Amino acid sequence: MFAKEVYVRRRAELVRKMVAAGQKGILLFVGNVEAPAQYKDNCYKWRQDSSWLYYFGLDDPQYAATIDLEDGSETVFANDVEIGDIIWMGPQPSVASKAESVGVATSAPYAALDAVVAKAISQGRPVHFLPPSRYFNTMKLSALVPGGSPSEAFIKAVISMRLVKEACEIEALDDAGALGQEMHTVARNAIRPGIVEQEIVGLMEGVTLAKGWGVSFPTILTQHGETLHNHLHDKIVEPGKLMVIDAGAESNLHYASDYTRTYPTSGRFTTKQREVYQIVYDCNELAFSLTRPGVTYREVHLAVARKMLEGLSALGLVRGDLDEMTARGIAGLFQPHGLGHNMGLDVHDMEDLGEDLVGYDPDQKRASQLGLGSLRMARRLVPGHVITDEPGIYFIPALIEKWKSEGIGTDCVNFARLKDYYDFGGIRLEDDVLVTPDGARRLGPARLPIAPDDIENVMA
Ligand code: GLY
């Protein structure tokens, strides 16, 4: 946890924002509860709700809280342990002392929440809550606030705070970055023909399990990188292939990292692999060089799309005016995803609060084009934003065939030549980036090797 003052200050700022927006009533926070995997005593790995962590820091199941926007009072609701709990889990600090550790003076049993919320409703006071990400909380909130819906004012106030990282969060993100980089280094060193992909995953995830909370999302490690989120790790590593590793750590403070590198399984790229790799590398570098306050990430995505088409044009895979092809979304055939997303306590930060509310400014509208339509972060950048820079080129036979059969891009896509790439796979290169007052810096202690020569050197 951070110091008590961090949570006190954040809650005060939240209340200030809500009151300034003319809101009244109470803010209702529900933390997560344990989720049974097979039966109630064998649960999925515990993970607290991120907005709860941000404002209350307490990393225990079945906590809730209210903040009264009118009198400023705060109450934490949770149950003290009983002898049965102590037998199985050991002694625990009291709820009152935990609440006090984050600056909340009043606590009550979890069940007391029902009456507090019911009273507010009976008085006609608004009860503001966030969209729940877990089914238990969906049910809990519909019982507490029948017919209620998440409060847009509350969502927007939370997003405005969590999007801009504080100094203590940036330090935590650098730590998560260090762990993520160590994971990738271990994985890269383990790549050799004959090893099963799963063994590399195990070695890599062991790093973050030993030093942090675990992975920040299910690991992607595959010789079929053309499948964007391939979670199958059952293949034996073959020579001459490309291996995409997209993985990150969640630190013990629950901040995320998210890196992707693509490696030649034999240690050296073939000419064809290097040509495509160089384009993706150039796109990653271009995105970073354009990332600074005042620029929208949508503009950066489009600049990357244009650069990608320029490189693909040099390979004879597309032909035509680069600006026109960019506007038509031709790059989406090769990169059917966005350039990046927000990152923080969640690897896709706050997407439970609404992807468009998090990633788009009020004057921006999400596109429907393949690729650009999947851009999760389009906003005008400000210092403190933390985003990923993750261009990729993928040769997805089913998608290429679909475009061909539907006559999409037939004037500019060289479908005949693309046939030679049907077994190529994919390449993605991803860094985590902090927007600074005068530009940007990559998170983590040192950049993972990425230039094609550096990759070959470290794999030699
Ligand atoms: N790196 C995985 C993702 O962004 O979804």
Side-chain angles (χ1 to χ4, degrees):
M1 258 173 38
F2 297 124
K4 177 199 288 194
E5 293 68 34
V6 170
Y7 303 101
V8 172
R9 179 172 40 73
R10 287 175 179 172
R11 294 194 302 270
E13 174 63 6
L14 177 62
V15 170
R16 192 198 62 71
K17 278 177 179 276
M18 290 295 285
V19 170
Q23 300 298 323
K24 293 187 181 333
I26 62 170
L27 304 181
L28 167 60
F29 294 84
V30 285
N32 283 338
V33 301
E34 295 273 22
Q38 299 100 347
Y39 49 91
K40 95 174 171 45
D41 288 330
N42 198 10
C43 292
Y44 288 107
K45 185 172 177 178
W46 164 245
R47 175 55 154 85
Q48 183 56 286
D49 175 79
S50 295
S51 288
W52 172 271
L53 281 176
Y54 187 83
Y55 290 104
F56 290 91
L58 301 173
D59 201 358
D60 301 286
Q62 209 165 8
Y63 269 66
T66 53
I67 302 178
D68 191 312
L69 289 176
E70 280 137 87
D71 67 15
S73 61
E74 302 174 323
T75 307
V76 161
F77 299 86
N79 296 328
D80 278 313
V81 292
E82 298 169 346
I83 186 64
D85 304 309
I86 293 170
I87 290 169
W88 291 96
M89 297 157 51
Q92 310 286 321
S94 67
V95 170
S97 68
K98 287 193 180 179
E100 204 283 323
S101 74
V102 291
V104 180
T106 308
S107 62
Y110 191 75
L113 178 66
D114 298 18
V116 171
V117 175
K119 183 173 170 201
I121 292 170
S122 74
Q123 293 172 330
R125 303 181 70 203
V127 177
H128 302 270
F129 60 89
L130 300 171
S133 59
R134 296 272 185 99
Y135 292 125
F136 178 90
N137 283 340
T138 303
M139 292 188 290
K140 179 81 188 162
L141 286 166
S142 56
L144 283 170
V145 193
S149 52
S151 156
E152 190 159 319
F154 191 10
I155 294 169
K156 285 183 171 166
V158 170
I159 289 173
S160 70
M161 292 181 68
R162 285 183 56 192
L163 259 188
V164 179
K165 271 59 181 181
E166 303 169 356
C168 62
E169 294 184 282
I170 293 166
E171 199 178 314
L173 284 158
D174 272 324
D175 289 345
L179 213 43
Q181 291 180 355
E182 194 178 332
M183 287 167 69
H184 273 261
T185 304
V186 165
R188 186 188 69 224
N189 290 341
I191 296 172
R192 58 177 164 76
I195 192 170
V196 179
E197 292 167 345
Q198 184 177 348
E199 289 182 58
I200 307 176
V201 173
L203 292 167
M204 182 169 59
E205 294 190 353
V207 173
T208 180
L209 287 169
K211 298 184 182 177
W213 180 85
V215 292
S216 52
F217 60 94
T219 295
I220 298 159
L221 184 149
T222 178
Q223 295 161 94
H224 279 283
E226 75 280 9
T227 303
L228 302 187
H229 277 187
N230 197 336
H231 297 301
L232 289 176
H233 310 130
D234 57 346
K235 306 279 182 300
I236 296 172
V237 174
E238 291 174 30
K241 304 281 259 188
L242 289 170
M243 175 176 284
V244 170
I245 303 182
D246 181 349
E250 181 168 322
S251 69
N252 283 327
L253 281 174
H254 300 294
Y255 281 82
S257 60
D258 180 2
Y259 295 107
T260 309
R261 288 293 183 267
T262 304
Y263 299 106
T265 55
S266 303
R268 294 189 73 80
F269 294 104
T270 64
T271 303
K272 194 173 179 180
Q273 289 170 343
R274 186 181 261 263
E275 286 168 349
V276 179
Y277 188 100
Q278 185 68 45
I279 301 172
V280 182
Y281 172 54
D282 290 344
C283 288
N284 176 294
E285 292 282 316
L286 176 72
F288 182 71
S289 72
L290 295 176
T291 298
R292 59 176 174 272
V295 172
T296 68
Y297 216 46
R298 185 180 188 278
E299 291 170 282
V300 182
H301 171 105
L302 288 171
V304 162
R306 190 182 189 284
K307 182 90 187 157
M308 193 171 282
L309 289 167
E310 186 180 60
L312 292 166
S313 191
L315 294 185
L317 295 175
V318 296
R319 67 175 164 269
D321 180 76
L322 293 178
D323 292 329
E324 194 205 320
M325 286 194 291
T326 304
R328 286 170 58 195
I330 298 299
L333 176 62
F334 304 94
Q335 185 194 283
H337 63 70
L339 178 63
H341 50 82
N342 290 291
M343 199 183 72
L345 279 163
D346 310 315
V347 66
H348 286 193
D349 213 20
M350 295 177 279
E351 284 189 0
D352 55 329
L353 303 184
E355 240 180 81
D356 286 5
L357 286 172
V358 174
Y360 286 73
D361 287 317
D363 63 346
Q364 290 179 316
K365 202 168 165 316
R366 201 169 176 128
S368 57
Q369 261 175 10
L370 187 64
L372 184 59
S374 295
L375 182 61
R376 299 176 128 97
M377 170 53 167
R379 281 180 183 265
R380 192 168 298 283
L381 301 173
V382 300
H385 277 162
V386 168
I387 50 184
T388 60
D389 165 9
E390 50 177 314
I393 291 181
Y394 315 88
F395 297 95
I396 307 170
L399 179 61
I400 297 167
E401 288 293 323
K402 181 175 189 301
W403 276 39
K404 190 174 154 192
S405 69
E406 292 177 5
I408 306 170
T410 41
D411 56 325
C412 53
V413 177
N414 189 340
F415 288 105
R417 188 166 291 191
L418 275 175
K419 281 241 181 242
D420 295 340
Y421 289 79
Y422 276 18
D423 61 352
F424 183 95
I427 294 174
R428 180 162 62 252
L429 298 173
E430 176 179 23
D431 294 312
D432 301 336
V433 175
L434 168 71
V435 181
T436 60
D438 51 4
R441 84 162 168 86
R442 297 185 182 93
L443 289 163
R447 195 178 185 197
L448 285 164
I450 186 168
D453 286 345
D454 292 345
I455 292 289
E456 290 186 350
N457 287 340
V458 291
M459 293 190 80

